[in-house]
Amino acid sequence: MPDTHAALRNNVHLLGELLGNTIKEHMGEQFLDKVELIRQLAKASRAGSKAGQEALLTELKGLTDDELLPVTRAFNQFLNLANIAEQYHTISKHSQQCPLELNPIAELLDQLLARQFNADTIIENLSKLKIELVLTAHPTEVTRRTLIKKYEEIANCLYVKDHHYLSGAEEEQLIHRLQQLVSQAWHTNEIREERPTPVDEARWGFATIEYSLWHAVPRFLRQLNQQLKQRINRELPLDISPVRFASWMGGDRDGNPNVTAAITHQVLMLSRWMAADLYLRDMDTLIGELSMNECNQHLLMEVGNQSEPYRALLKRLQTRLRVTRDWAESATRSYIEPTADVLLYKEDLLAPLKLCYQSLQDCGMHVIADGPLLDILYRAHCFGLNLIKLDIRQDSSRHSDVIAELTNYLELGDYTAWTEEQKQAFLLKELASKRPLLPCQWQPSAEVKEVIDTCRVLSRHEPHAIGSYIISMAKQPSDVLAVILLLKECGVQHRVPVVPLFETLNDLANADDVIKNLLGVSWYRDYIQGSQEVMIGYSDSAKDAGMLMASWAQYQAQEKLVEVCKRAGVKLTLFHGRGGSIGRGGGPAHAAILSQPPGSIGERMRITEQGEMIRFKFGLPNVAVRSLALYTNAALEAKLIPPPVPKDSWREMMDGLTGTSLNAYSGVVKENTDFVAYFRAATPEQELAKLPLGSRPAKRRTSGGLESLRAIPWIFAWTQNRLMLPSWLGSGEALQQALDNKQEPLIREMMSEWPFFRARVNMLEMVLAKADLSLAAYYEQRLVPESLQPLGEELRHRLASTVEVVRYLKKVHDLLSDEPWIQQSIALRNPYTDPLNVLQAELLFRLRHETENIKPLVRQALMVTIAGIAAGMRNTG
């Protein structure tokens, strides 16, 4: 690596040396020498040495069963330590050496001023901005929370080493602490013994807020405020919170029988408990600081003649927070009505804080007002009393089943057999009716009762605790109206945003018609009060049609939805269900937002943050500050400087490209009779189901083939064997055909002028850089029956051709040459990821062919290779 990355290289070397010390102490010097030999052979193999490659295979295949686990653990641990060093480096004092700016807002403000945007316009648009990041617990985070906490502490030590002047003794003590943490990680099992429960997942999300986002939000807003003051001489409104948070953890029940009504209630109350507890910690600090006796008349009237009026008021708030925390804890298992002292509304929390703030300002104590008190005000506006809003997600068929069972009981007929017009007529009639629909004596089936119980849970919680109700596989207006009716009948009195999720190719194509018909219902138009939210699914559409076709379908669906809502005079909020990997709509968030259709980024937008990407983007406070700034920057830029409307020639080209891409993708995935068998032989897909990653099953149904497999294990499995197939299949054929048809000038014009197309090519390049032909071939050689191997040879030929066409279009010899930071990040990991790939193929072979004599340690070693490769590949799902 070049000298510009010396600081990163030094930290990686330091952590690697500490890991080596631990391995030597625990396993002996001879074992450490073997690990180092494997690493050197992997580097030689990666550099093209045929002898190095053969020696590497010989060394790894010769490992005994007892050696397999410690070797896999050694490489897995190094990859995690390298990730820590890199994540820390992006926000260290050396961060200017990589293209990840600590605060990108300044550059955007300069750009807006150059384009003659005045301060009022900038502040107005910034104040209206509402970005909701929705944390989800999709099973791609393979690292245990126990280890994550150790890794966070390692990053903190690197910060101290980098930013504090240390004496020789102090530096020695710090290195000793790092050695302790690395040793602790080595002696901790990487793999959970049991699957986490939905409550465990929710607690993990709360921990991300507690340890990182709670500190990052006020830091981000202070930086934003500072940039505004410096460049436009304006300050943020006190109540601004451009980025807020929601969660699916404990609310996403689509295909997850472990998420029940009781679980959802428990998670909602735990969220209230955690919020109150965090505010109480802040109160201890604040009461200690605000000892002043001078106050304005409003505060004096509130507390009377007190020698320390601020403390007097804040102690009252502290008491109510304690009552709130105790109530939330006691009501976790079953709902308990709150007493009068329980804080139920955000304004109950904000009012005393704002009174203190204004009094300090009025009395000339501005510097005190803008201390810890301002941080708490920022947190209160962002997190409220519930910490994080909880979304609910359920499949549309579950709601139809409730209505059908009810209409059959009432002898009104079979709801599922009715036409869409009949369904809407019935639902609208019942929505307008004042009498109850659910009979007291009705005994519904267990599945129907669960849906009703969930709706009843929502009726017992304040509106600000609930986010949106998402309907998977929504296809008709009746799917939305049915949910609204069930919420009404179960006692939900406030308006819950009921959000249809369009995720398959056909659903995306029909999304505008569904919303148009829905907005044509006058009762519904009154209900939504001028605001409609729609969720775009990235995962299943990509699995259904391939990345290029899915991306274009998503783009066109958004364009049509924007137009439908504009004509209806309704504000549209688009909810982007993006995954961490390229094949599930992932990639750099900034580029993804700026590549959306013009007009699709309004005042409000929602985006999922999934699995391991939550830790990579928000796991450290300073990293989280940068991530929040990137989101705000991109949303504001997209709003004020929207991308160009695609030319007709671009649209025609995309139609042609995606038609070719879809045919190529479907020809392999859906029409080749050998494909499913090859997929299951060449990847650890079936073994992934045994890895206790998340609470949700790997399949929507226990029976069924590829069509029943969730998009996450579909992507995850291909990432493990380094073929990365879902993210590129079809794209290379489409681009090559366009070049063969003499359309290169138009392709290059699109790359230059159209952010959407440029982002597709750049993300394709990134995933191709992580793919590896030789490793994919090795998996095939060890695991795939000879009769299926011609398909593998064809797939690798397609991959190689795709690499060549992308290299040609990007005018580079090596992929990512114009992104050296990412290129070197991948190169840093390859010598450690490559041996894990070879070992995984070897372990899969042993497990599939020697099932009776396999030791438990060998099975565990396989699980560790999965975790290690995930760490090496970063955005796996």
Side-chain angles (χ1 to χ4, degrees):
M1 299 177 73
D3 286 342
T4 52
H5 292 87
L8 171 61
R9 187 176 65 248
N10 290 340
N11 280 336
V12 170
H13 178 76
L14 170 63
L15 296 177
E17 185 178 334
L18 297 177
L19 177 62
N21 293 342
T22 300
I23 293 172
K24 181 179 178 181
E25 179 183 30
H26 183 61
M27 301 295 299
E29 188 168 358
Q30 187 175 358
F31 178 81
L32 178 61
D33 290 341
K34 176 168 289 200
V35 170
E36 178 59 19
L37 173 62
I38 292 170
R39 186 181 76 86
Q40 292 293 345
L41 291 173
K43 288 183 70 173
S45 177
R46 174 63 60 172
S49 167
K50 186 73 174 176
Q53 184 180 28
E54 291 176 358
L56 175 65
L57 294 177
T58 300
E59 191 70 32
L60 291 173
K61 290 172 73 172
L63 293 174
T64 66
D65 286 354
D66 292 334
E67 290 176 319
L68 282 167
L69 181 58
V71 168
T72 56
R73 293 191 72 239
F75 284 95
N76 173 53
Q77 287 289 354
F78 181 85
L79 285 165
N80 280 292
L81 293 173
N83 282 344
I84 297 166
E86 183 181 307
Q87 186 183 36
Y88 162 70
H89 184 72
T90 63
I91 46 89
S92 74
K93 67 183 183 182
H94 307 286
S95 61
Q96 67 270 19
Q97 296 173 352
C98 74
L100 300 173
E101 288 187 77
L102 188 62
N103 192 335
I105 297 291
E107 184 180 346
L108 175 60
L109 290 174
D110 291 341
Q111 187 180 358
L112 294 175
L113 291 172
R115 289 173 175 257
Q116 307 303 311
F117 285 96
N118 60 40
D120 289 341
T121 300
I122 294 171
I123 289 291
E124 179 186 0
N125 280 274
L126 194 53
S127 299
K128 290 180 179 178
L129 203 60
K130 290 182 174 60
I131 307 163
E132 272 196 338
L133 303 180
V134 185
L135 310 183
T136 67
H138 286 289
T140 59
E141 173 55 273
V142 295
T143 308
R144 292 179 61 195
R145 181 66 207 167
T146 297
L147 284 167
I148 290 171
K149 292 175 76 172
K150 299 183 193 305
Y151 296 155
E152 288 171 351
E153 180 62 19
I154 289 172
N156 290 334
C157 288
L158 294 178
Y159 180 87
V160 172
K161 182 176 76 69
D162 213 19
H163 289 76
H164 294 253
Y165 175 78
L166 301 176
S167 67
E170 288 171 333
E171 184 170 2
E172 186 178 338
Q173 187 177 8
L174 183 71
I175 299 300
H176 181 65
R177 176 59 179 158
L178 278 168
Q179 181 70 77
Q180 288 177 338
L181 291 164
V182 170
S183 296
Q184 288 175 20
W186 173 261
H187 290 286
T188 300
N189 285 337
E190 294 91 338
I191 307 301
R192 304 178 184 97
E193 294 183 3
E194 297 178 352
R195 285 186 180 273
T197 68
V199 174
D200 293 332
E201 291 171 335
R203 285 196 173 103
W204 177 76
F206 298 157
T208 301
I209 296 176
E210 177 184 6
Y211 294 111
S212 181
L213 289 170
W214 193 255
H215 309 285
V217 165
R219 289 185 202 173
F220 157 63
L221 292 172
R222 284 179 180 277
Q223 285 190 10
L224 178 57
N225 197 41
Q226 182 183 21
Q227 295 294 342
L228 291 170
K229 284 196 291 186
Q230 288 177 352
R231 281 168 169 75
I232 61 174
N233 197 29
R234 296 287 294 274
E235 294 192 42
L236 289 172
L238 193 61
D239 61 351
I240 194 172
S241 186
V243 184
R244 303 189 185 193
F245 303 92
S247 173
W248 278 14
M249 303 180 196
D252 180 11
R253 59 240 309 121
D254 178 21
N256 189 350
N258 300 311
V259 180
T260 63
I263 290 293
T264 295
H265 169 76
Q266 185 179 356
V267 168
L268 282 163
M269 295 311 301
L270 285 171
S271 186
R272 295 291 296 269
W273 181 93
M274 176 60 78
D277 190 65
L278 288 171
Y279 286 123
L280 278 169
R281 298 181 210 176
D282 285 352
M283 282 298 110
D284 288 340
T285 300
L286 198 57
I287 289 170
E289 294 214 355
L290 298 189
S291 56
M292 294 66 65
N293 57 14
E294 185 182 355
C295 68
N296 66 11
Q297 193 63 29
H298 293 292
L299 180 53
L300 187 62
M301 290 174 60
E302 181 68 28
V303 300
N305 190 17
Q306 299 273 353
S307 61
E308 296 178 330
Y310 300 94
R311 284 180 168 176
L313 184 61
L314 293 173
K315 283 179 180 178
R316 286 190 207 167
L317 179 57
Q318 186 181 48
T319 298
R320 294 193 68 186
L321 282 166
R322 286 198 187 103
V323 171
T324 302
R325 184 181 61 180
D326 294 344
W327 163 74
E329 183 175 16
S330 60
T332 299
R333 293 297 175 187
S334 59
Y335 186 76
I336 299 171
E337 286 293 332
T339 62
D341 285 335
V342 169
L343 294 167
L344 293 177
Y345 303 102
K346 185 161 72 172
E347 192 55 37
D348 294 337
L349 172 66
L350 282 168
L353 297 172
K354 289 193 292 188
L355 187 55
C356 289
Y357 186 85
Q358 190 59 52
S359 176
L360 289 168
Q361 293 282 1
D362 291 346
C363 296
M365 293 180 274
H366 309 287
V367 68
I368 298 174
D370 290 338
L373 175 57
L374 181 59
D375 288 347
I376 300 175
L377 280 165
Y378 281 149
R379 287 170 183 143
H381 282 295
C382 178
F383 297 107
L385 284 167
N386 48 281
L387 194 67
I388 193 166
K389 286 187 174 183
L390 184 66
D391 281 2
I392 305 298
R393 184 168 76 136
Q394 183 58 279
D395 189 273
S396 60
S397 63
R398 294 291 300 274
H399 309 123
S400 297
D401 291 345
V402 176
I403 306 293
E405 195 168 303
L406 181 60
T407 57
N408 280 321
Y409 175 81
L410 296 173
E411 299 181 351
L412 298 175
D414 183 2
Y415 175 82
T416 56
W418 295 353
T419 64
E420 175 63 16
E421 290 74 16
Q422 289 173 317
K423 290 178 180 178
Q424 288 188 36
F426 170 77
L427 295 169
L428 290 169
K429 178 183 175 183
E430 293 301 328
L431 283 165
S433 174
K434 294 183 179 180
R435 61 159 174 75
L437 176 63
L438 303 180
C440 295
Q441 65 274 23
W442 180 40
Q443 296 294 323
S445 64
E447 285 199 342
V448 165
K449 183 177 183 299
E450 178 55 42
V451 176
I452 292 172
D453 285 347
T454 297
C455 293
R456 285 179 172 150
V457 164
L458 302 188
S459 73
R460 293 194 290 267
H461 290 270
E462 289 70 34
H464 55 74
I466 309 300
S468 300
Y469 194 119
I470 293 96
I471 310 169
S472 299
M473 297 298 172
K475 299 182 185 299
Q476 298 290 348
S478 60
D479 290 330
V480 175
L481 296 174
V483 172
I484 300 173
L485 177 60
L486 291 174
L487 292 172
K488 167 184 173 276
E489 292 299 320
C490 293
V492 178
Q493 297 182 5
H494 63 280
R495 186 183 72 87
V496 176
V498 178
V499 182
L501 165 55
F502 301 106
E503 41 195 334
T504 67
L505 206 58
N506 287 336
D507 289 347
L508 287 168
N510 296 326
D512 60 318
D513 283 339
V514 174
I515 297 301
K516 181 180 178 180
N517 292 336
L518 194 54
L519 296 178
V521 177
S522 58
W523 182 94
Y524 181 76
R525 285 287 297 274
D526 292 338
Y527 174 82
I528 63 173
Q529 300 173 14
S531 179
Q532 175 66 51
E533 184 177 327
V534 177
M535 186 169 182
I536 302 296
Y538 288 70
S539 302
D540 284 293
S541 55
K543 176 171 169 275
D544 189 30
M547 188 194 78
L548 193 61
M549 180 74 244
S551 298
W552 184 226
Q554 293 148 12
Y555 188 96
Q556 292 177 298
Q558 291 178 64
E559 284 186 311
K560 293 174 184 176
L561 288 167
V562 167
E563 185 60 29
V564 165
C565 290
K566 183 179 179 181
R567 288 180 181 174
V570 170
K571 286 185 178 180
L572 173 66
T573 296
L574 285 168
F575 183 2
H576 301 273
R578 302 170 68 234
S581 65
I582 304 299
R584 295 184 55 241
H590 189 267
I593 291 172
L594 292 178
S595 69
Q596 301 305 313
S600 65
I601 306 296
E603 294 172 358
R604 185 170 180 257
M605 65 182 297
R606 307 184 89 218
I607 305 172
T608 53
E609 287 291 358
Q610 301 184 355
E612 81 281 9
M613 300 313 296
I614 296 173
R615 175 162 57 97
F616 292 148
K617 291 183 180 180
F618 306 108
L620 299 175
N622 286 339
V623 172
V625 169
R626 191 196 71 230
S627 297
L628 297 176
L630 284 168
Y631 271 114
T632 303
N633 173 290
L636 186 61
E637 182 176 349
K639 182 77 165 54
L640 294 178
I641 315 174
V645 175
K647 297 178 183 179
D648 289 343
S649 58
W650 298 354
R651 293 182 185 278
E652 291 172 11
M653 173 60 76
M654 280 306 299
D655 287 339
L657 289 172
T658 53
T660 303
S661 172
L662 178 61
N663 288 337
Y665 181 87
S666 299
V668 171
V669 174
K670 297 182 179 180
E671 296 168 17
N672 190 312
T673 55
D674 289 338
F675 179 76
V676 173
Y678 182 88
F679 168 54
R680 290 188 167 147
T683 74
E685 180 260 329
Q686 297 184 79
E687 288 79 9
L688 278 172
K690 301 170 185 175
L691 188 62
L693 295 179
S695 68
R696 197 170 72 175
K699 290 188 176 183
R700 285 186 167 90
R701 300 181 301 278
T702 53
S703 59
L706 190 63
E707 74 287 348
S708 70
L709 188 70
R710 288 190 176 277
I712 293 165
W714 160 249
I715 295 287
F716 201 111
W718 287 112
T719 304
Q720 290 282 310
N721 82 340
R722 303 290 287 275
L723 196 59
M724 316 289 283
L725 177 137
S727 300
W728 57 262
L729 182 60
S731 298
E733 293 88 339
L735 292 169
Q736 187 61 55
Q737 186 176 92
L739 294 176
D740 293 342
N741 292 337
K742 312 300 183 184
Q743 293 176 309
E744 182 177 341
L746 184 56
I747 290 285
R748 294 204 178 279
E749 177 184 287
M750 292 162 64
M751 288 176 62
S752 173
E753 300 179 24
W754 193 12
F756 167 76
F757 187 73
R758 182 167 58 249
R760 303 282 81 71
V761 175
N762 288 344
M763 287 191 282
L764 179 59
E765 181 187 22
M766 186 187 301
V767 79
L768 292 173
K770 294 185 177 185
D772 191 282
L773 287 165
S774 61
L775 286 170
Y778 185 71
Y779 275 78
E780 178 182 293
Q781 174 195 330
R782 290 298 283 163
L783 302 171
V784 178
E786 190 173 345
S787 61
L788 299 176
Q789 290 186 8
L791 174 57
E793 187 175 347
E794 177 193 341
L795 293 175
R796 291 192 300 281
H797 174 73
R798 288 174 183 251
L799 173 58
S801 298
T802 304
V803 169
E804 288 306 308
V805 73
V806 171
R807 286 173 54 197
Y808 177 78
L809 289 174
K810 293 298 296 280
K811 298 181 178 179
V812 297
H813 181 268
D814 296 319
L815 294 172
L816 297 176
S817 292
D818 54 352
E819 294 283 357
W821 172 254
I822 302 175
Q823 185 188 57
Q824 291 166 21
S825 172
I826 296 170
L828 176 71
R829 289 167 177 74
N830 278 334
Y832 301 90
T833 313
D834 294 355
L836 288 174
N837 282 117
V838 176
L839 283 169
Q840 185 178 92
E842 180 65 26
L843 288 162
L844 287 169
F845 179 86
R846 295 189 193 185
L847 286 166
R848 292 174 183 179
H849 293 84
E850 305 167 14
T851 53
E852 293 183 4
N853 301 316
I854 288 293
K855 297 179 181 180
L857 288 179
V858 176
R859 296 185 187 279
Q860 188 178 352
L862 174 63
M863 299 297 109
V864 174
T865 65
I866 292 172
I869 294 167
M873 301 302 287
R874 294 289 295 255
N875 50 349
T876 56

